[in-house]
Amino acid sequence: MILIDDILISDDVVETQFVCNLKACKGACCIEGESGAPVEQNEIELLQDSIDHILPYLTKEGKKAIAEQGVYIVEEDDEYTGLATPLINGGACAYIAYKANGQVTCGIEEAYNDGKISFQKPISCHLYPIRTKNYDSVIGVNYDEWDICSDACTLGKALKVPVYVFAKDALIRKFGTEFYKVLEQAAFDHENDTTESSSK
C-alpha cells in the first residue's frame, strides 16, 4: 500500500496494467452492473445545470428514465447509502449514447467534448477502473477488477501501462497535480523495491 497524506493507494493501482479497449468491449461498463455510476454531492448541481444540453445526446429510453427518476438517484441498502446515475429499467446507465459503430459512449462526455457544457462526467466514471472510498481517517484508492474489462487488461499488458498511468488525468482532476507527482515517484520506488525483492 502507498500512503500519500490521507490517501491510501492499493498496490494493484500501480502493479496492474490496464488500457480501455473500447473496440472490444463496446463500452460494456456503462451497460452492465446492478447500480448506476457513483455521483458526488458537488456533481448534482453540475448535472442539473447541464441536463438540457445533455439530453439531446441520450437515447429515448435514457431521457424517459431521467424524466421519471431525476438526474441522479439515492441508492440505499443495509451497508451503503450513496448517490448514483439513474438506470434504464434497472440496466444501462440513463446517460448512455451510441456512436455510429454501435459503441456505447457517455452522453455527458459527448456534450462536454462538443463544448456544450463544462462538466466532463462524474469523477467515478473518469477514474474507472479505480474506485475511491472514504474511511474514518483515509481515502482508499483501489483497483476494481471486473471480468468485462479483461480485454483492457490484455491491452494494458501489451502496452505496459499501469492503472495509475491510464487514469492520470482523472487522478489529477480528483486529487491534484502535486498528488500525482508524489504517486509517480512512489510507484517508481515500489516497482524498484519489488524488482529487487524478486531478484534475491
PDB file of all heavy atoms in Angstrom, residues 36-50:
ATOM      1  N   GLY A  36     -26.102   2.365 -10.747  1.00  0.00           N
ATOM      2  CA  GLY A  36     -25.565   3.428 -11.575  1.00  0.00           C
ATOM      3  C   GLY A  36     -24.170   3.837 -11.144  1.00  0.00           C
ATOM      4  O   GLY A  36     -23.633   3.342 -10.153  1.00  0.00           O
ATOM      5  N   ALA A  37     -23.589   4.744 -11.888  1.00  0.00           N
ATOM      6  CA  ALA A  37     -22.262   5.250 -11.537  1.00  0.00           C
ATOM      7  C   ALA A  37     -22.369   6.150 -10.317  1.00  0.00           C
ATOM      8  O   ALA A  37     -23.284   6.975 -10.229  1.00  0.00           O
ATOM      9  CB  ALA A  37     -21.677   6.044 -12.706  1.00  0.00           C
ATOM     10  N   PRO A  38     -21.460   6.002  -9.343  1.00  0.00           N
ATOM     11  CA  PRO A  38     -21.491   6.883  -8.175  1.00  0.00           C
ATOM     12  C   PRO A  38     -21.388   8.357  -8.579  1.00  0.00           C
ATOM     13  O   PRO A  38     -20.632   8.724  -9.475  1.00  0.00           O
ATOM     14  CB  PRO A  38     -20.263   6.445  -7.380  1.00  0.00           C
ATOM     15  CG  PRO A  38     -20.031   5.024  -7.784  1.00  0.00           C
ATOM     16  CD  PRO A  38     -20.407   4.972  -9.241  1.00  0.00           C
ATOM     17  N   VAL A  39     -22.158   9.182  -7.904  1.00  0.00           N
ATOM     18  CA  VAL A  39     -22.165  10.631  -8.144  1.00  0.00           C
ATOM     19  C   VAL A  39     -21.821  11.328  -6.836  1.00  0.00           C
ATOM     20  O   VAL A  39     -22.378  10.986  -5.780  1.00  0.00           O
ATOM     21  CB  VAL A  39     -23.554  11.097  -8.648  1.00  0.00           C
ATOM     22  CG1 VAL A  39     -23.601  12.620  -8.771  1.00  0.00           C
ATOM     23  CG2 VAL A  39     -23.891  10.443  -9.985  1.00  0.00           C
ATOM     24  N   GLU A  40     -20.928  12.290  -6.887  1.00  0.00           N
ATOM     25  CA  GLU A  40     -20.560  13.027  -5.681  1.00  0.00           C
ATOM     26  C   GLU A  40     -21.545  14.183  -5.459  1.00  0.00           C
ATOM     27  O   GLU A  40     -22.169  14.682  -6.400  1.00  0.00           O
ATOM     28  CB  GLU A  40     -19.125  13.544  -5.807  1.00  0.00           C
ATOM     29  CG  GLU A  40     -18.099  12.416  -5.901  1.00  0.00           C
ATOM     30  CD  GLU A  40     -16.664  12.891  -5.735  1.00  0.00           C
ATOM     31  OE1 GLU A  40     -16.443  14.126  -5.661  1.00  0.00           O
ATOM     32  OE2 GLU A  40     -15.770  12.033  -5.683  1.00  0.00           O
ATOM     33  N   GLN A  41     -21.645  14.608  -4.207  1.00  0.00           N
ATOM     34  CA  GLN A  41     -22.605  15.644  -3.844  1.00  0.00           C
ATOM     35  C   GLN A  41     -22.426  16.907  -4.679  1.00  0.00           C
ATOM     36  O   GLN A  41     -23.394  17.510  -5.139  1.00  0.00           O
ATOM     37  CB  GLN A  41     -22.453  15.986  -2.354  1.00  0.00           C
ATOM     38  CG  GLN A  41     -23.488  16.961  -1.827  1.00  0.00           C
ATOM     39  CD  GLN A  41     -24.890  16.385  -1.761  1.00  0.00           C
ATOM     40  OE1 GLN A  41     -25.071  15.240  -1.367  1.00  0.00           O
ATOM     41  NE2 GLN A  41     -25.881  17.172  -2.145  1.00  0.00           N
ATOM     42  N   ASN A  42     -21.169  17.296  -4.921  1.00  0.00           N
ATOM     43  CA  ASN A  42     -20.914  18.527  -5.668  1.00  0.00           C
ATOM     44  C   ASN A  42     -21.199  18.391  -7.159  1.00  0.00           C
ATOM     45  O   ASN A  42     -21.176  19.379  -7.891  1.00  0.00           O
ATOM     46  CB  ASN A  42     -19.470  18.996  -5.457  1.00  0.00           C
ATOM     47  CG  ASN A  42     -18.456  18.041  -6.067  1.00  0.00           C
ATOM     48  OD1 ASN A  42     -18.695  16.836  -6.142  1.00  0.00           O
ATOM     49  ND2 ASN A  42     -17.341  18.579  -6.502  1.00  0.00           N
ATOM     50  N   GLU A  43     -21.497  17.170  -7.610  1.00  0.00           N
ATOM     51  CA  GLU A  43     -21.784  16.965  -9.030  1.00  0.00           C
ATOM     52  C   GLU A  43     -23.272  17.079  -9.346  1.00  0.00           C
ATOM     53  O   GLU A  43     -23.657  17.197 -10.515  1.00  0.00           O
ATOM     54  CB  GLU A  43     -21.261  15.590  -9.480  1.00  0.00           C
ATOM     55  CG  GLU A  43     -19.749  15.497  -9.434  1.00  0.00           C
ATOM     56  CD  GLU A  43     -19.211  14.123  -9.779  1.00  0.00           C
ATOM     57  OE1 GLU A  43     -19.896  13.104  -9.472  1.00  0.00           O
ATOM     58  OE2 GLU A  43     -18.114  14.049 -10.346  1.00  0.00           O
ATOM     59  N   ILE A  44     -24.106  17.084  -8.302  1.00  0.00           N
ATOM     60  CA  ILE A  44     -25.551  17.154  -8.530  1.00  0.00           C
ATOM     61  C   ILE A  44     -25.935  18.452  -9.237  1.00  0.00           C
ATOM     62  O   ILE A  44     -26.652  18.455 -10.245  1.00  0.00           O
ATOM     63  CB  ILE A  44     -26.310  17.031  -7.198  1.00  0.00           C
ATOM     64  CG1 ILE A  44     -26.124  15.628  -6.612  1.00  0.00           C
ATOM     65  CG2 ILE A  44     -27.793  17.329  -7.399  1.00  0.00           C
ATOM     66  CD1 ILE A  44     -26.728  15.466  -5.230  1.00  0.00           C
ATOM     67  N   GLU A  45     -25.443  19.556  -8.708  1.00  0.00           N
ATOM     68  CA  GLU A  45     -25.781  20.855  -9.315  1.00  0.00           C
ATOM     69  C   GLU A  45     -25.231  20.942 -10.735  1.00  0.00           C
ATOM     70  O   GLU A  45     -25.874  21.521 -11.621  1.00  0.00           O
ATOM     71  CB  GLU A  45     -25.230  21.990  -8.461  1.00  0.00           C
ATOM     72  CG  GLU A  45     -25.668  23.373  -8.948  1.00  0.00           C
ATOM     73  CD  GLU A  45     -25.226  24.496  -8.026  1.00  0.00           C
ATOM     74  OE1 GLU A  45     -24.747  24.204  -6.904  1.00  0.00           O
ATOM     75  OE2 GLU A  45     -25.355  25.673  -8.431  1.00  0.00           O
ATOM     76  N   LEU A  46     -24.057  20.377 -10.965  1.00  0.00           N
ATOM     77  CA  LEU A  46     -23.476  20.386 -12.309  1.00  0.00           C
ATOM     78  C   LEU A  46     -24.365  19.631 -13.287  1.00  0.00           C
ATOM     79  O   LEU A  46     -24.587  20.070 -14.416  1.00  0.00           O
ATOM     80  CB  LEU A  46     -22.073  19.767 -12.280  1.00  0.00           C
ATOM     81  CG  LEU A  46     -21.010  20.549 -11.498  1.00  0.00           C
ATOM     82  CD1 LEU A  46     -19.737  19.724 -11.348  1.00  0.00           C
ATOM     83  CD2 LEU A  46     -20.701  21.870 -12.201  1.00  0.00           C
ATOM     84  N   LEU A  47     -24.880  18.484 -12.851  1.00  0.00           N
ATOM     85  CA  LEU A  47     -25.794  17.718 -13.699  1.00  0.00           C
ATOM     86  C   LEU A  47     -27.100  18.485 -13.940  1.00  0.00           C
ATOM     87  O   LEU A  47     -27.602  18.541 -15.067  1.00  0.00           O
ATOM     88  CB  LEU A  47     -26.105  16.367 -13.046  1.00  0.00           C
ATOM     89  CG  LEU A  47     -25.056  15.271 -13.185  1.00  0.00           C
ATOM     90  CD1 LEU A  47     -25.410  14.084 -12.296  1.00  0.00           C
ATOM     91  CD2 LEU A  47     -24.918  14.833 -14.634  1.00  0.00           C
ATOM     92  N   GLN A  48     -27.623  19.083 -12.882  1.00  0.00           N
ATOM     93  CA  GLN A  48     -28.879  19.826 -13.012  1.00  0.00           C
ATOM     94  C   GLN A  48     -28.721  21.015 -13.963  1.00  0.00           C
ATOM     95  O   GLN A  48     -29.599  21.278 -14.786  1.00  0.00           O
ATOM     96  CB  GLN A  48     -29.340  20.300 -11.635  1.00  0.00           C
ATOM     97  CG  GLN A  48     -29.792  19.165 -10.721  1.00  0.00           C
ATOM     98  CD  GLN A  48     -30.035  19.603  -9.297  1.00  0.00           C
ATOM     99  OE1 GLN A  48     -29.439  20.574  -8.825  1.00  0.00           O
ATOM    100  NE2 GLN A  48     -30.894  18.884  -8.582  1.00  0.00           N
ATOM    101  N   ASP A  49     -27.595  21.705 -13.863  1.00  0.00           N
ATOM    102  CA  ASP A  49     -27.359  22.869 -14.716  1.00  0.00           C
ATOM    103  C   ASP A  49     -27.097  22.481 -16.169  1.00  0.00           C
ATOM    104  O   ASP A  49     -27.312  23.286 -17.078  1.00  0.00           O
ATOM    105  CB  ASP A  49     -26.163  23.677 -14.193  1.00  0.00           C
ATOM    106  CG  ASP A  49     -26.461  24.387 -12.879  1.00  0.00           C
ATOM    107  OD1 ASP A  49     -27.655  24.489 -12.522  1.00  0.00           O
ATOM    108  OD2 ASP A  49     -25.501  24.825 -12.214  1.00  0.00           O
ATOM    109  N   SER A  50     -26.605  21.250 -16.383  1.00  0.00           N
ATOM    110  CA  SER A  50     -26.178  20.835 -17.723  1.00  0.00           C
ATOM    111  C   SER A  50     -27.192  19.966 -18.450  1.00  0.00           C
ATOM    112  O   SER A  50     -27.038  19.706 -19.652  1.00  0.00           O
ATOM    113  CB  SER A  50     -24.854  20.047 -17.618  1.00  0.00           C
ATOM    114  OG  SER A  50     -23.854  20.790 -16.963  1.00  0.00           O
TER     115      SER A  50
END
